[in-house]
Each structure stands twice: as C-alpha cells, then as structure tokens.
C-alpha cells in the first residue's frame, strides 16, 4: 500500500531520507507537485551536504519533521517549465538554495531580502502554503517557483556550483553588506570549514588581505599555501593575538561552537565589524566596553536573497571562485555524515545524484 508521502502529489519522486533522530539515511519514495504555471522543474545532478543537514537529520534543533529529505544546495538541468515562466527554458543549468518560497509582499521581500521574510519556506523540512512538507535535494528531481531558481553560468561546473547556493552566499552576503569587499581591506576569517574556506576565497577575490584565525596550528599551511590566505593566527596563542590587535577591518566568524568573542573584538581596528555566521547552541558572552572604546560592531547574517545569490553565482563564475569539494555517491551519505561530524572533509561533500541515485527495484 502506498504511503501518504507517495500519493500526496501527482508526480513520483525518489530520494534518500532520515526517518528518525538516529539520522540514518535510506531510500525513500515520495511525491512532488505538478509543474505550475510559474514553476521550473529540473533533474537534480548534484547536491551539496551542509552541516545543517546533519543537525536536521538528528533533530538537534528540535524542529525536524520525518521523513526528512535534506539538501539545499541543488544543481541540475531544467526538464520542464510552466507556461508563465519567463527566465528559464528546458536545458538551462540551474540551482536552488535554502529557500523555495516567501510571502512576496513584506518589506524584506520587496527589497529582495527573502531570506529575512518572517514567512519564508525552507527547501526541506518545512511546509508549503498547502500544508505539504518540503523535500530537498537528496532526490532525483525538484520543482520550484522560478523566482527561487538561480541560473548557473556555463563556466561553472555544476558540482562546484552546488555548495555556492548555501556556503557561498552565506559568506558573500555579509562581505558585501558590511563593506568588507574593497581592495586593500584586511579581513579575518574565523574557522576553516565549509563556510570559512569560501570566505577566504571570496575575500581574496574582492582584493582584500585575509588572515585566517583558527585553534588548529596544522591548518596554517592549508590556509596560506592552498587557499591563498595572507597570514594565519592561532587563536590560543596569546602572543600572536596580542601582536595582531587592532589590525583587522572586519572579521567573518563561521564557528558554531561556543567560543570567546573578546579576543576577536580586540583584533578589530576602530569601526571594525565582527560578523557572526555560526549558530552556537548556547549564548555567547559579549563584553560591551571594548565595543564602546572603538565604535566596533557585532552583527549577524543569514544566507542571502535570491537576487544577491544570482549576483554571487555570476561573480564566482567570472572570478573562478569555487569550493573545494569531495564528490560522493548517494550510498556513501551515512559515512559522509559521520565524517562531517568529525570535520573530516575538505571542505564540502557533494552528492553525485545524477549518476548514483537509482530507484529501488
């Protein structure tokens, strides 16, 4: 007997899902809606694995809905478009990031900031307006309103483009908004994972001088020789941190673990900006006096709007900014999650959906 998820919509779909907080993935039959008049349907060829996929699979944020098909870094090729679609045609290379809907009428939506709409709909584990659950990119095909679909330039490989739709825009947007995108500025990047390595690459592409700040001394060679950072600070080395005080125009902090902010604030010049992208489980301690004495700012940023995501994708293609990826088959996804938990990836897993996702007999 067919399950509710298989008959909820008219079109059959297939993917891999987590069924419970164990976070274990296995094959899953479900359904997607018909291609509406403003919809773009596309065959998913690649999907990046974001750390939030792991959090959601294990219900670590307490809001997961099972069965859960993660994936908000989708890249593929258009197979069908609705009769009112204006921006895309069959055969186009496209992607979908973290969002598939928003209210479209609030102040944020009107300013192309769908990512700050109070009613946005996430690409997976959320509810569409009709009440049905959204399923992400660990699946064979996707359908989304054309407004939330991004064109992937021809010069950008699809496997490398996928992580840009989350990791890429998450660092690009604050670099732009907080004006850390100017040649000659000195930008610090805290943490050298999926987000951090993209922050280094985009900041360098903007012409900034980049210092990586990490607790791990062994990452120095990687940061400088491979990723192109200009310098490296070990955050636990008080002498290094003291010598670098007051040298940075801004810091992109990608760390999700609880950590001290005071040493980072000390690295900033007057008027410097510390931008938080990670989401630690517990509140961080924020000393105010060091902010007052240098007119410094602590801010935050969450992904980016669709217009800016397209701008980021075009910039990445033009300046050859690509994530470092490890392409894996879908049946490796459980092992990949175990490795992700141990930070054993440089720097983003990307699932080869097109070649390895096969429906069950």
């Amino acid at each position: 007997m067919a399950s509710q998820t298989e008959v909820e919509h008219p079109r059959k779909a297939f993917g891999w899902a987590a069924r419970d907080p164990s976070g274990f993935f296995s094959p899953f039959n479900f359904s997607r809606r018909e291609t509406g008049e403003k919809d773009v349907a596309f065959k998913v060829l690649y999907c990046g694995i974001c750390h939030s996929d792991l959090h959601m699979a294990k219900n670590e944020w307490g809001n997961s809905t099972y069965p859960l098909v993660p994936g908000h870094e989708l890249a593929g090729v258009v197979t069908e478009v609705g009769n009112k679609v204006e921006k895309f045609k069959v055969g186009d290379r496209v992607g979908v990031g973290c969002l598939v809907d928003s209210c479209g009428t609030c102040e944020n939506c009107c300013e192309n900031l769908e990512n700050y709409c109070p009613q946005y709909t996430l690409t997976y584990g959320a509810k569409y307006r009709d009440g049905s659950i959204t399923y992400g990119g660990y699946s064979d095909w996707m359908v989304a309103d054309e407004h939330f679909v991004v064109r992937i330039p021809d010069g950008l490989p699809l496997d490398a483009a996928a992580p840009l739709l989350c990791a890429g825009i998450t660092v690009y947007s604050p670099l732009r908004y907080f004006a850390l995108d100017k040649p000659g500025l000195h930008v610090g990047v805290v943490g050298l994972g999926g987000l951090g390595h993209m922050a280094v690459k985009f900041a360098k592409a903007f012409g900034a001088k980049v210092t990586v700040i990490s607790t791990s001394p062994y990452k120095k060679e990687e940061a400088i020789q491979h990723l192109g950072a200009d310098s490296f600070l070990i955050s636990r080395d008080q002498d290094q941190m003291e010598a670098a005080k007051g040298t940075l125009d801004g810091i992109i902090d990608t760390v999700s673990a609880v950590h001290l902010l005071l040493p980072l604030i000390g690295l900033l010049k007057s008027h410097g900006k510390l931008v938080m992208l990670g989401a630690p489980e517990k509140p961080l301690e924020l000393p105010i006096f060091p902010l007052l004495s240098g007119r410094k700012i602590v801010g935050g940023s969450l992904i980016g709007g669709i217009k800016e995501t397209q701008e980021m994708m075009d910039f990445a293609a033009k300046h050859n900014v690509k994530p470092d990826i490890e392409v894996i088959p879908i049946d490796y996804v459980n092992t990949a999650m175990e490795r992700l938990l141990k930070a054993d990836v440089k720097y983003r897993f990307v699932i080869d959906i097109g070649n390895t996702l096969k429906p069950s007999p």
Side-chain angles (χ1 to χ4, degrees), residues 10-126:
R11 303 278 293 274
K12 289 183 178 180
F14 176 73
W16 278 49
R19 307 306 214 283
D20 55 53
S22 71
F24 183 81
F25 288 91
S26 57
F28 174 58
N29 291 295
F30 63 106
S31 58
R32 294 197 187 275
R33 68 174 184 262
E34 291 282 6
T35 306
E37 60 183 17
K38 294 285 286 180
D39 282 344
V40 173
F42 64 95
K43 178 178 175 59
V44 180
L45 296 178
Y46 295 97
C47 185
I49 296 180
C50 178
H51 210 286
S52 57
D53 297 350
L54 178 60
H55 290 303
M56 289 292 288
K58 292 180 174 293
N59 195 28
E60 291 176 353
W61 291 333
N63 60 350
S64 299
T65 301
Y66 299 99
L68 183 90
V69 178
H72 56 210
E73 298 180 344
L74 298 73
V77 175
V78 176
T79 54
E80 185 181 15
V81 296
N83 58 16
K84 291 189 178 178
V85 168
E86 298 175 354
K87 295 188 291 184
F88 302 99
K89 65 181 186 306
V90 172
D92 283 351
R93 306 162 84 249
V94 297
V96 163
C98 300
L99 304 176
V100 290
D101 199 10
S102 67
C103 79
T105 57
C106 70
E107 184 177 355
N108 286 319
C109 285
C110 292
E111 294 180 0
N112 298 303
L113 295 170
E114 300 89 350
N115 51 315
Y116 299 124
C117 172
Q119 299 177 50
Y120 66 45
T121 302
L122 295 172
T123 300
Y124 70 85

Side-chain angles (χ1 to χ4, degrees), residues 260-304:
L260 296 175
L261 298 184
L262 180 60
L264 300 178
I265 294 169
L267 296 175
L268 294 172
K269 298 176 182 177
S270 293
H271 327 299
K273 303 149 188 171
L274 171 59
V275 187
M276 310 300 294
L277 303 184
E281 291 180 14
K282 296 179 181 178
L284 303 184
E285 187 174 311
L286 178 62
I288 299 302
F289 191 76
L291 300 181
L292 305 181
S293 59
R295 196 158 62 181
K296 299 174 184 179
I297 292 172
V298 176
S301 187
L302 179 72
I303 51 176

Side-chain angles (χ1 to χ4, degrees), residues 54-344:
L54 178 60
H55 290 303
M56 289 292 288
K58 292 180 174 293
N59 195 28
E60 291 176 353
W61 291 333
N63 60 350
S64 299
T65 301
Y66 299 99
L68 183 90
V69 178
H72 56 210
E73 298 180 344
L74 298 73
V77 175
V78 176
T79 54
E80 185 181 15
V81 296
N83 58 16
K84 291 189 178 178
V85 168
E86 298 175 354
K87 295 188 291 184
F88 302 99
K89 65 181 186 306
V90 172
D92 283 351
R93 306 162 84 249
V94 297
V96 163
C98 300
L99 304 176
V100 290
D101 199 10
S102 67
C103 79
T105 57
C106 70
E107 184 177 355
N108 286 319
C109 285
C110 292
E111 294 180 0
N112 298 303
L113 295 170
E114 300 89 350
N115 51 315
Y116 299 124
C117 172
Q119 299 177 50
Y120 66 45
T121 302
L122 295 172
T123 300
Y124 70 85
K127 285 188 177 181
Y128 285 114
R129 298 184 190 196
D130 65 4
S132 62
I133 300 298
T134 61
Y135 295 113
Y138 297 15
S139 60
D140 54 357
W141 72 283
M142 181 68 176
V143 60
D145 186 291
E146 73 166 334
H147 181 79
F148 293 88
V149 177
V150 174
R151 182 180 304 281
I152 298 174
D154 288 338
L156 205 53
L158 288 178
D159 56 359
L164 294 175
L165 291 156
C166 174
I169 186 60
T170 297
V171 299
Y172 179 93
S173 185
L175 285 168
R176 294 277 287 164
Y177 179 80
F178 290 99
L180 299 174
D181 58 345
K182 309 291 188 294
L185 293 182
H186 192 171
V187 175
V189 175
V190 186
L192 201 59
L195 292 181
H197 95 289
M198 289 309 308
V200 172
K201 292 189 177 198
F202 273 115
K204 289 299 294 181
F206 285 131
K209 178 182 177 183
V210 177
T211 293
V212 170
I213 304 153
S214 175
T215 59
S216 308
Y218 68 89
K219 291 185 177 180
K220 179 176 181 178
E221 183 177 353
E222 174 80 7
I224 294 175
Q225 300 297 330
H226 180 65
L227 297 177
D230 299 281
S231 54
F232 187 90
L233 284 176
I234 301 169
S235 56
R236 293 188 175 125
D237 188 319
Q238 293 186 351
D239 291 339
Q240 286 190 21
M241 295 292 282
E242 184 68 29
K245 271 191 171 181
T247 61
L248 302 180
D249 296 286
I251 297 174
I252 301 294
D253 186 341
T254 70
V255 175
S256 291
V258 173
H259 58 292
L260 296 175
L261 298 184
L262 180 60
L264 300 178
I265 294 169
L267 296 175
L268 294 172
K269 298 176 182 177
S270 293
H271 327 299
K273 303 149 188 171
L274 171 59
V275 187
M276 310 300 294
L277 303 184
E281 291 180 14
K282 296 179 181 178
L284 303 184
E285 187 174 311
L286 178 62
I288 299 302
F289 191 76
L291 300 181
L292 305 181
S293 59
R295 196 158 62 181
K296 299 174 184 179
I297 292 172
V298 176
S301 187
L302 179 72
I303 51 176
I306 306 305
K307 181 180 179 182
E308 188 174 44
T309 302
Q310 184 67 66
E311 174 191 299
M312 176 275 308
M313 193 67 76
D314 295 340
F315 180 93
K318 181 178 179 182
H319 296 273
N320 196 33
V321 178
K322 294 183 291 190
D324 289 16
I325 61 174
E326 180 178 336
V327 179
I328 62 168
I330 186 70
D331 61 9
Y332 188 79
V333 68
N334 288 305
T335 304
M337 290 295 178
E338 292 173 8
R339 286 179 54 193
L340 186 60
L341 194 58
K342 297 182 287 188
D344 178 24

